[in-house]
Amino acid sequence: MSAPQVSNDTFAVCDLELNQVSIVGIVRGFTPFVTNMQYSVDDMTGPPLCVKQWLNEEDWSLTSVPPGTYVKVIGSLRNFSGQRSVLAMNIRCIKDLNEITSHMLEVVQAHMLLFEKVLKGLRESSLKVKPKHPDRPQVVLSSIAHKPSRYGVWGLVYKNTNLLRSCVLAEGISLQDLKSQLDYLSMRDIRASLVFLVNEGHIFSTIDEHHFKSAEH
């Protein structure tokens, strides 16, 4: 859902063009139309995704997938009037729950392969940037920092984690300090990554809801 759209119906993750994608989730509902069936599929990573399956006369004799059913969807990502959906080539009901675990492992493996080069570059080609204020923590930024939109929220989380770890102040680092050090990012993106880090237990708020510190200290 956060993959940048590089052209009409073309999306990318880490400069890798998305072609065919697979999704495993629960059908939350469906709506029949004259030429297609639209499903609401929830894979637990965000809001339910709209999945469209075009139908011909022979397909109308098939029974639609009822809500509460686990399915695997194979299709391509589309953007119509600002709403993203998956144009399904195949929708299959999952009968063996081991498929869900297998899909999770595939997602983790794909994530590791996609971001391996990004994180490697972050470690090897990092540049030390002098702090704007001597009493504030020094920030380490990478050469990929100038293209945050191409790397998604995980890149933001990784950079924010480094910033928070480097802070030695008792009250932690303030939201405004984070914004000044990451001035190429929007406040919305910074807040989103902070929410993720708090929910995962990596950081916590200190004197108020605008100051944060790493839980690893």
Side-chain angles (χ1 to χ4, degrees):
M1 295 299 291
S2 61
Q5 185 172 4
V6 295
S7 64
N8 292 336
D9 292 331
T10 302
F11 302 83
V13 174
C14 289
D15 295 325
L16 179 65
E17 183 176 320
L18 292 178
N19 292 307
Q20 185 170 287
V21 299
S22 65
I23 299 170
V24 169
I26 302 176
V27 174
R28 298 298 187 189
F30 66 91
T31 304
F33 291 90
V34 175
T35 58
N36 66 87
M37 184 76 72
Q38 294 189 15
Y39 293 96
S40 178
V41 179
D42 186 2
D43 72 346
M44 311 300 180
T45 65
L49 181 66
C50 177
V51 175
K52 298 181 180 180
Q53 185 178 35
W54 293 105
L55 304 174
N56 52 39
E57 293 182 359
E58 291 78 11
D59 294 327
W60 279 110
S61 61
L62 301 177
T63 304
S64 59
V65 180
T69 304
Y70 274 98
V71 293
K72 182 166 187 176
V73 178
I74 305 294
S76 55
L77 189 61
R78 292 287 186 266
N79 188 358
F80 181 73
S81 298
Q83 181 182 11
R84 296 192 177 188
S85 61
V86 169
L87 182 60
M89 299 171 55
N90 178 263
I91 299 178
R92 178 173 57 83
C93 295
I94 291 179
K95 298 180 180 179
D96 185 353
L97 295 183
N98 287 322
E99 282 197 61
I100 301 174
T101 303
S102 176
H103 181 77
M104 289 180 176
L105 294 174
E106 290 175 355
V107 171
V108 172
Q109 182 188 37
H111 176 80
M112 292 176 64
L113 292 175
L114 284 172
F115 287 88
E116 181 179 11
K117 293 183 179 179
V118 175
L119 298 181
K120 183 178 180 181
L122 186 62
R123 291 190 296 266
E124 295 180 353
S125 62
S126 61
L127 302 173
K128 289 187 177 181
V129 180
K130 294 183 179 180
K132 297 180 180 179
H133 304 282
D135 59 338
R136 293 179 182 174
Q138 186 170 353
V139 182
V140 179
L141 300 178
S142 73
S143 59
I144 68 168
H146 302 289
K147 299 188 292 184
S149 61
R150 301 305 303 274
Y151 299 97
V153 71
W154 286 102
L156 306 181
V157 169
Y158 189 87
K159 289 190 282 291
N160 277 354
T161 302
N162 279 343
L163 281 171
L164 291 156
R165 285 174 179 168
S166 67
C167 181
V168 296
L169 301 177
E171 67 272 18
I173 189 169
S174 70
L175 184 59
Q176 289 303 319
D177 282 344
L178 281 172
K179 177 58 181 172
S180 65
Q181 300 289 359
L182 301 172
D183 55 1
Y184 51 88
L185 299 178
S186 68
M187 183 62 78
R188 177 181 178 181
D189 288 338
I190 294 175
R191 287 184 182 275
S193 58
L194 288 174
V195 169
F196 176 86
L197 291 170
V198 169
N199 291 339
E200 292 296 311
H202 298 300
I203 66 173
F204 59 93
S205 58
T206 57
I207 58 176
D208 56 32
E209 60 182 5
H210 302 298
H211 287 76
F212 302 90
K213 195 168 186 178
S214 172
E216 297 183 10
H217 286 301

